[in-house]
Amino acid sequence: MTPEGGRGAVERYDVIIIGAGLSGVGAACQLRRRLPDRRFLILEARHAIGGTWDLFRYPGIRSDSDMHTLGYAFRPWRAAEAIADGPAIRTYIEDTAREEGVAEHIRFGHRVTAADWSSAESRWTLTVEREGAPPLTLALACDWLHACTGYYAYDRAHRPAFAGEDEFAGTIVHPQFWPERLDYAGRRVAVIGSGATAVTLVPALARTAAHVTMVQRSPSYVVSRPARDRVADRLRKLLPERAAYALTRWKNVLLGQFFYRLARRRPRGVARRLIAMVRQELGADYDVATHFTPRYDPWDQRLCLVPDGDLFVALREGRASVATGTIERLTPDGLLLVDGTRIAAEIIVTATGLEILLLGGLVLSRDGTIIDPAGSLQYKGMMLSAVPNFSFAFGYTNASWTLKADLVAAYLCRLLRAMQRRGAASATPRVRVGSVTEVPFADLSSAYIQRALSSLPRQGHRRPWRLNQNYALDVLALRFGSVAEEIELAAADTGARA
């Protein structure tokens, strides 16, 4: 790439946000609303707003959380469907960016590869690859860097190799890289996987495919939920829009937290109830014990949501089926399981998971020394110990992503305001030696989490180093709690406490 600009030509901003997805657009909106005097920029590696909701284009792509909690707190979700499809979510993000005056602050085709903190200058200098002819490498600077990069790699996915792949005569695709013109109508399809992507794909493909088989090594908990929120519909008729939205949001948050706590306290009882609900959907003759009875407790992994029971409808109508077992190999006309079961397929979809990539692969350094996030403690679920003027958005594992992203953005604005008030140029979370017991970043047993734990920061046993995974507690901590709890605020150049 061709370098551009010398040291004197570096553009400097108060805040640079990496990523123009749900989190990045939301953070920019809050900056404009709460700190309108701050100069900010959003750098987006791709060429469209939306992040995940623009990248994924597989059939049936939708949220696995209701839009009253996945939507922004400051902008009501107005569509009738509470469980929305990908295009609707993408439009919501685009409309928000345009209406809030954020869209013009986005630079597309700009990939941030590295960021170095200068202690002497109290600023970050970013190395940015800009697409073009010819491509350029730019240097941009900011006082605060906020990463809204999601949690997985956009350019690669978890894709295990299967014996016999070279023998298979059909097409193999991964949902993350869905071919635009893939024709599956009237064809037999096998979807490998049992997670959220698989249970979304199967009923969508089954509408036109000859037959779809979900091939799973082991079952997941699958829960049916109405696509429309009837309480939300009633509240819209009775109350002003924002009041109805806020009440619906809190109703869904509290119900979700209640169910999560119940599942953790009484896992066997909740498991029995979830499995009984599947039996009600599929009938007494269906082998629920084999295909829909997981080997783990509820919320050891995320539950799989199926709106209006669409997966169960496809199974009842015979348009889809489930095969549970280990794949021995692919064959010219499908798959062979270890138990001898043969599954005919002309198309195989490997819904085998994501590859977690913290900060989108961004390389952080301080005064030229590389910072390893895995060697840090997370602070309030949004900062790293001993790393100044840096934050990131990482959503809940047991609730909607945006609930946490919204709170992080609001807290960031509080912290920036406090820094200005106290004359501080840097804010650095500091953990006292020996005061915190370290534990893993996440407690889910999902394979994609377990594969990545060694690359993720740790958390502590107490606040503010512990992840609450509880929206109500985070509201108290991030909106109303101490803004500089165990944070060192320092003035420029001197390094003195502010």
Side-chain angles (χ1 to χ4, degrees), residues 30 34 405-415 478-479:
Q30 296 217 44
R34 298 170 185 262
D406 267 353
L407 291 177
V408 165
Y411 173 83
L412 174 57
C413 293
R414 288 184 67 208
L415 182 54
L478 297 177
R479 284 189 184 167

Side-chain angles (χ1 to χ4, degrees), residues 17 59 72 96 164 168-169 193 240 249 261 348-349 423 444 450 454 471:
I17 298 168
Y72 300 118
T96 302
F168 180 60
R249 188 178 178 89
R261 297 299 173 191
I348 294 176
V349 182
L444 292 182
Q450 294 300 313
S454 63
Y471 179 69

Side-chain angles (χ1 to χ4, degrees), residues 135-406:
L136 300 172
T137 298
L138 311 175
L140 296 172
C142 61
D143 299 331
W144 193 283
L145 180 61
H146 186 47
C148 296
T149 54
Y151 65 100
Y152 65 92
Y154 276 33
D155 58 353
R156 60 186 185 274
H158 180 64
R159 165 66 165 85
F162 297 99
E165 283 191 39
D166 55 343
E167 300 174 15
F168 180 60
T171 302
I172 302 176
V173 299
H174 193 285
Q176 191 166 326
F177 311 105
W178 194 267
E180 185 177 352
R181 294 182 175 82
L182 179 65
D183 182 12
Y184 54 86
R187 306 178 74 182
R188 300 185 71 84
V189 182
V191 177
I192 301 175
S194 60
T197 301
V199 302
T200 298
L201 269 165
V202 170
L205 296 173
R207 294 188 186 105
T208 57
H211 188 81
V212 181
T213 306
M214 185 169 80
V215 184
Q216 58 180 12
R217 184 170 53 189
S218 60
S220 300
Y221 287 103
V222 182
V223 181
S224 177
R225 181 174 176 179
R228 293 189 64 151
D229 189 321
R230 294 179 182 177
V231 174
D233 290 344
R234 293 194 196 100
L235 289 175
R236 285 193 188 104
K237 296 176 181 178
L238 298 172
L239 298 172
E241 180 183 59
R242 290 189 177 278
Y245 181 65
L247 283 175
T248 302
R249 188 178 178 89
W250 270 108
K251 181 263 295 182
N252 290 348
V253 165
L254 295 175
L255 282 176
Q257 285 297 303
F258 170 78
F259 179 75
Y260 174 76
R261 297 299 173 191
L262 181 64
R264 302 313 275 172
R265 283 196 293 264
R266 301 180 180 179
R268 292 184 181 179
V270 171
R272 285 195 297 269
R273 177 56 183 154
L274 293 177
I275 294 166
M277 291 167 63
V278 175
R279 286 199 177 95
Q280 290 174 358
E281 292 278 357
L282 296 177
D285 295 334
Y286 194 89
D287 189 359
V288 172
T290 297
H291 302 308
F292 287 97
T293 303
R295 297 192 290 254
Y296 57 87
D297 289 336
W299 280 114
D300 282 352
Q301 300 180 22
R302 281 184 70 100
L303 307 186
C304 294
L305 172 68
V306 289
D308 294 329
D310 58 1
L311 173 65
F312 302 131
V313 172
L315 294 174
R316 288 198 305 266
E317 294 178 351
R319 295 180 286 113
S321 58
V322 180
T324 302
T326 302
I327 296 171
E328 179 175 305
R329 62 183 297 105
L330 304 193
T331 63
D333 58 356
L335 304 91
L336 174 66
L337 303 188
V338 170
D339 65 5
T341 301
R342 290 185 175 273
I343 300 164
E346 299 161 81
I347 298 172
I348 294 176
V349 182
T350 55
T352 46
L354 306 166
E355 182 172 322
I356 286 184
L357 182 65
L358 189 67
L359 309 180
L362 170 69
V363 177
L364 293 174
S365 59
R366 181 174 51 245
D367 300 321
T369 300
I370 298 296
I371 298 167
D372 179 12
S376 301
L377 275 179
Q378 68 78 33
Y379 174 88
K380 294 190 176 182
M382 59 169 288
M383 297 175 71
L384 299 175
S385 59
V387 180
N389 291 27
F390 175 76
S391 54
F392 59 91
F394 200 100
Y396 295 115
T397 57
N398 63 353
S400 293
W401 179 276
T402 317
L403 288 172
K404 184 60 178 286
D406 267 353

